[in-house]
Amino acid sequence: MYAIFETGGKQYKVSEGDVITVEKLGLEAGTNHVFENVLALNSGNEIKVGAPLIAGAKIEASVVEEGKHKKVIVFKYKPKKGYRRKKGHRQPFTKLKIDKIVQ
């Protein structure tokens, strides 16, 4: 059984017990969160597709941790002009463990 849901402008395919990384939700570790934007459900032999969402379906997840990804370096330069700029960026994330998929 798997489900496809949407959060943070992205879509994720999950099963029960999966650990996924999504955009930062601003929740503390150990808390629970319910996603109700379920787009599709597959229960083995039957596939339900929402238009655009499936009514009554939800995904229950617990927050494992919040953190930041590895640093990405952004380096700009123009040859022969002495123009150089170095910037770094660390994207925040929330790591979730999928506890239950409710139809």
Side-chain angles (χ1 to χ4, degrees):
M1 176 178 198
Y2 68 85
I4 299 173
F5 74 101
E6 182 267 331
T7 181
K10 298 174 182 66
Q11 297 177 5
Y12 299 92
K13 177 183 172 185
V14 296
S15 299
E16 290 184 9
D18 286 354
V19 177
I20 61 168
T21 302
V22 298
E23 295 293 319
K24 182 179 177 186
L25 297 174
L27 302 171
E28 302 218 4
T31 60
N32 293 328
H33 188 70
V34 177
F35 296 98
E36 296 181 350
N37 293 341
V38 179
L39 305 172
L41 279 171
N42 182 355
S43 60
N45 54 1
E46 181 186 1
I47 296 176
K48 290 183 187 175
V49 179
L53 303 175
I54 298 174
K58 58 185 176 180
I59 297 173
E60 298 175 4
S62 56
V63 178
V64 176
E65 68 170 319
E66 284 215 339
K68 291 184 178 183
H69 288 288
K70 292 177 73 173
K71 184 175 277 193
V72 176
I73 303 297
V74 179
F75 187 75
K76 301 193 241 180
Y77 83 101
K78 298 193 183 213
K80 303 177 201 161
K81 302 296 179 192
Y83 174 80
R84 298 171 194 282
R85 298 291 179 267
K86 182 178 178 181
K87 253 187 193 179
H89 175 73
R90 293 183 69 193
Q91 184 69 26
F93 68 87
T94 301
K95 190 176 281 190
L96 300 170
K97 181 177 185 299
I98 306 301
D99 296 328
K100 192 173 173 186
I101 298 173
V102 180
Q103 295 186 14

